[in-house]
Amino acid sequence: DPGRDSLASFFSDDSPLFARRTNRAGEAYSEERAQRFRQSLENAIGIFEVLGAEVQEVPSSMMAEMCGLPVRLAEMLLEDADQSLSVLECDATATPLSNRCSQMSLLAMSTGMELGLSDAELASLGQAGLLHDLGLFLLPPKFRNPTTAYNASDLGIYQSHPYLTLRLLEGVHSISELVRVLILQVHENADGSGFPRNFKSHRLHPLTRILHVVEVYLSLVNPGPGRPALVPHDALTFLLFQCQKGNFSPQVLRAFINQITLFPIGSRVLLNDGQQATVVRRNADQYDQPFVIFNNDARGQPQALAGTELRIVSPLVRDQHSQMRLEKEILASLTLDSLI
């Protein structure tokens, strides 16, 4: 099985992936690297799109290629984790589902690396993140649109899709039993309010905690039912409030924030001197003081905020129509179901 072989050879544990990441702190982005990374991500999204269109009769060669995609994404993380995250922009020609699943695979593996997980665990995260919503392609198109508001009947149909995903993956030998467990648990909540089995945290596999944080974050920073996307910083603030309520693992959420920063990579921010900037690299020691590029800097050279008097005052919306901000008091009072 080519998919299984490529995973086994790359995720080998001979030299753990988390120890093989290249430290590029302070480096400017490489345009050549950006083009390669975008192409890798677009290829992953494209394969997912084709797979979805042929989901009833998926060729084994295509499924093998799909199962090997986490290798390409992990290679990006090893070469330049920050720049990998910076290219997580939606492909306008693809469905939101294909975009989100590719992003989820990359972010789940990145978080797992931050936690120092084994290569075998990282491979499982990458596959589960990529494939977890595949069953939605068996349902009408409205169920693949995250802005759809469901009635009670629709909600029951939607919440059956993890079982549909497992049905599609029957007989695919490169999918381990662990990956199947994770796919079934991605949408479960620690308090038992998730689906499809309403499991509480003590019944969930530890790796599910990583996938759940990433899945909720991506749902928030993309448009949802009756709302535009949240500014990434506000999405993280909401996750922090939910963590205080016991809905997320503190260790996982800390690792997630450490790798994307409190003002996530790619965010536009306002500084205390009135300048506007874009977050481009994390500071491994201080996640609230990342590296930024000032918006008036034609050279695009990252500047460290740590060690200066400059501080981020607030995030900025990309535009009023595609993103929104919510006050902390509102974020503290909201539930997971009210935003997703």
Side-chain angles (χ1 to χ4, degrees):
D1 187 325
R4 181 174 56 193
D5 292 345
S6 63
L7 282 169
S9 60
F10 185 79
F11 295 95
S12 64
D13 277 326
D14 291 339
S15 178
L17 294 190
F18 71 83
R20 289 161 50 192
R21 290 178 294 181
T22 302
N23 182 1
R24 299 189 182 277
E27 284 189 23
Y29 282 171
S30 161
E31 184 55 38
E32 181 273 334
R33 190 181 301 130
Q35 290 176 358
R36 282 192 290 109
F37 285 1
R38 288 193 194 99
Q39 190 61 55
S40 290
L41 196 61
E42 287 171 5
N43 287 344
I45 292 170
I47 292 171
F48 198 93
E49 285 279 285
V50 174
L51 188 69
E54 302 180 12
V55 73
Q56 296 283 10
E57 299 178 2
V58 178
S60 58
S61 59
M62 182 175 293
M63 182 57 77
E65 188 174 8
M66 168 65 84
C67 293
L69 284 176
V71 171
R72 300 186 196 177
L73 301 178
E75 287 173 337
M76 292 165 51
L77 293 170
L78 294 183
E79 184 176 354
D80 190 335
D82 294 338
Q83 194 162 358
S84 296
L85 301 181
S86 78
V87 300
L88 285 182
E89 301 161 351
C90 288
D91 180 346
T93 65
T95 63
L97 177 61
S98 298
N99 280 308
R100 190 172 70 246
C101 288
S102 301
Q103 293 167 352
M104 186 162 169
S105 181
L106 185 76
L107 281 170
M109 287 191 292
S110 181
T111 305
M113 287 185 192
E114 193 70 23
L115 287 164
L117 298 185
S118 72
D119 284 14
E121 291 170 317
L122 294 175
S124 296
L125 283 172
Q127 281 195 329
L130 195 66
L131 300 171
H132 74 287
D133 275 344
L134 190 61
L136 288 174
F137 282 109
L138 291 173
L139 299 177
K142 69 178 181 180
F143 291 102
R144 299 191 290 277
N145 183 348
T147 64
T148 301
Y150 301 130
N151 58 32
S153 175
D154 286 342
L155 187 61
I157 295 172
Y158 172 79
Q159 291 183 347
S160 71
H161 80 262
Y163 293 119
L164 298 179
T165 299
L166 292 186
R167 193 178 83 191
L168 286 172
L169 297 176
E170 288 178 358
V172 181
H173 301 298
S174 55
I175 306 298
S176 69
E177 187 59 32
L178 173 56
V179 172
R180 298 174 199 274
V181 169
L182 296 177
I183 286 172
L184 199 57
Q185 294 184 355
V186 167
H187 298 291
E188 301 284 4
N189 296 329
D191 62 1
S193 63
F195 65 88
R197 296 185 291 183
N198 306 114
F199 276 6
K200 292 189 176 182
S201 58
H202 68 279
R203 301 189 66 183
L204 301 177
H205 192 281
L207 294 185
T208 300
R209 300 170 185 172
I210 296 174
L211 291 166
H212 189 46
V213 165
V214 176
E215 193 266 339
V216 172
Y217 174 78
L218 287 175
S219 296
L220 295 174
V221 298
N222 285 287
R227 63 161 177 82
L230 264 67
V231 170
H233 173 75
D234 290 354
L236 286 180
T237 301
F238 176 74
L239 293 184
L240 287 167
F241 282 125
Q242 291 298 309
C243 188
Q244 292 175 354
K245 298 175 183 178
N247 288 328
F248 297 113
S249 159
Q251 294 79 11
V252 169
L253 188 54
R254 185 181 301 113
F256 184 69
I257 294 175
N258 279 347
Q259 44 124 9
I260 66 173
T261 88
L262 193 57
F263 296 88
I265 291 171
S267 297
R268 295 179 60 238
V269 294
L270 177 67
L271 302 178
N272 57 346
D273 66 349
Q275 292 189 82
Q276 294 186 13
T278 301
V279 177
V280 292
R281 291 200 181 279
R282 69 171 185 163
N283 180 334
D285 299 318
Q286 294 173 285
Y287 55 74
D288 61 338
Q289 296 182 355
F291 288 83
V292 303
I293 290 177
F294 299 112
N295 289 1
N296 60 0
D297 181 4
R299 298 174 303 163
Q301 186 64 38
Q303 302 290 320
L305 296 183
T308 74
E309 295 183 357
L310 294 175
R311 296 291 182 271
I312 296 175
V313 175
S314 67
L316 297 171
V317 296
R318 187 167 50 241
D319 64 70
Q320 297 294 334
H321 301 290
S322 64
Q323 278 188 336
M324 72 172 183
R325 294 216 59 203
L326 289 176
E327 298 295 331
K328 281 187 177 181
E329 293 75 17
I330 296 176
L331 292 169
S333 66
L334 292 172
T335 63
L336 283 171
D337 289 345
S338 64
L339 282 177
I340 299 174

